[in-house]
């Protein structure tokens, strides 16, 4: 089984599920999961986890993200992006760059955002976009998201090119819509590129055809990111055979009397490896019992 993470560049026209399906065909492996949806018209970084690394999917979904997008003012659509049906068009000639800039920068910080109807969120077990396609609209509760930074890259009204650093769960097309509403002209998202998810950057990502080429050459390991690299900020400890047998099954094992372990402080998380340097998982130190307890397993025998 292939275990690790691929930094995939999702191209236009593919859903995140399409990318997973393509990779299952390329790798001949079923155990694959993506780390957060991107709309079909969006492009950019989509980390995909394979094998044991699928345990990281929820962790990576929680990470901050950076996007570059084009806001088009003067058009409001049902999907909040340019691919949707135009609901209303308004003049934008009266807008000034200073007014638009001030409005956009007002969204930096905590922000109550109402999820769009065209989204994969579920209400009573049914996805919102399914209801939207049936012509139904339901009440959605606002959710607090965090906009850490917005940089205006270019402004040629009615278009504004922006870079946005935000928390998980932020809909960039909804942000574009809300800016348009506040300016009184309406607005929608014209383009979207996700440039970063956690430590995964667009400049290091690979398109599906590149990944297929590496796979055919038997060189996938050249671009496959090891699971334990996601925890490189944690201290690494290697355990003996006795401790490893316990760790393989997620059991608590005693701290060894060696310098590394003696440095552990209460509840410190560490990366645990066996003598063959296989990554077992993340354990934390129980100072009272002088032992390590499992936090997340990545290897079992």
């Amino acid at each position: 089984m292939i275990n690790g993470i691929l930094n995939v560049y999702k191209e236009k026209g593919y859903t995140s599920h399409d990318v997973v399906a393509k990779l299952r065909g390329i790798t001949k492996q079923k155990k694959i999961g993506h780390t957060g949806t991107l709309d079909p018209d969006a492009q950019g970084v989509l980390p995909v986890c394979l094998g044991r690394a699928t345990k990281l999917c929820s962790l990576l979904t929680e990470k901050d993200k950076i996007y570059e997008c084009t806001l088009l003012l003067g058009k409001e659509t049902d999907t909040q992006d340019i691919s949707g049906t135009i609901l209303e068009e308004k003049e934008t000639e009266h807008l000034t760059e200073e007014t638009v800039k001030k409005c956009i920068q007002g969204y930096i910080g905590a922000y109550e955002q109402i999820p769009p109807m065209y989204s994969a969120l579920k209400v009573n077990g049914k996805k919102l976009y399914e209801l939207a396609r049936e012509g139904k609209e339901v009440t959605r509760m606002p959710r607090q998201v965090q906009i850490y930074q917005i940089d205006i890259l270019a402004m040629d009204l009615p278009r504004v090119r922006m870079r946005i650093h935000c928390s998980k769960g932020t809909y960039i097309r909804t942000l574009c819509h809300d800016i348009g509403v506040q300016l009184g002209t309406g607005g929608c998202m014209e383009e979207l590129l996700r440039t970063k998810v956690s430590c995964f950057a667009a400049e290091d990502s690979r398109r599906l055809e590149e990944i297929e080429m590496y796979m055919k050459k038997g060189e996938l390991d050249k671009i496959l990111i090891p699971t334990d690299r996601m925890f490189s900020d944690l201290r690494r400890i290697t355990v003996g055979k006795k401790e490893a047998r316990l760790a393989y099954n997620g059991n608590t094992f005693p701290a060894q009397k060696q310098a590394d372990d003696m440095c552990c402080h209460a509840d410190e998380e560490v990366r645990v490896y066996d003598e063959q340097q296989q990554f077992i998982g993340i354990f934390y130190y129980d100072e009272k019992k002088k032992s390590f307890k499992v936090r997340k397993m990545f290897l079992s025998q």
Side-chain angles (χ1 to χ4, degrees), residues 224-238:
L224 188 69
I225 300 160
T227 307
D228 59 338
R229 192 178 298 176
M230 296 307 301
F231 305 101
S232 58
D233 57 325
L234 301 181
R235 201 148 53 81
R236 172 189 183 122
I237 68 168
T238 301

Side-chain angles (χ1 to χ4, degrees), residues 15 30 37 42 69 71 96 162 172 193 197 220 222 238 287:
T15 66
K30 192 172 183 181
T37 57
C69 81
L71 159 64
T96 66
M162 304 181 288
I172 302 301
L193 170 67
V197 177
L220 193 66
K222 288 186 176 180
T238 301
E287 189 175 40

Side-chain angles (χ1 to χ4, degrees), residues 99-114:
T99 300
V100 173
K101 182 178 179 181
K102 186 176 179 181
C103 176
I104 289 171
Q105 290 181 336
Y107 283 85
I108 297 173
Y111 156 44
E112 293 287 322
Q113 189 180 73
I114 297 174

Side-chain angles (χ1 to χ4, degrees), residues 71-77 80 176-177 180-181 185-189:
L71 159 64
L72 174 61
L73 295 167
K75 288 188 195 305
E76 186 176 329
T77 73
Q80 300 180 346
C176 291
H177 167 85
V181 169
T185 62
C188 67
M189 185 183 75

Side-chain angles (χ1 to χ4, degrees), residues 117-118 126-137:
M117 276 301 299
Y118 281 88
K126 198 157 189 179
K127 291 177 179 177
L128 286 176
Y129 69 77
E130 294 173 339
L131 294 170
R133 287 170 182 167
E134 293 171 7
K136 300 174 183 176
E137 182 159 352

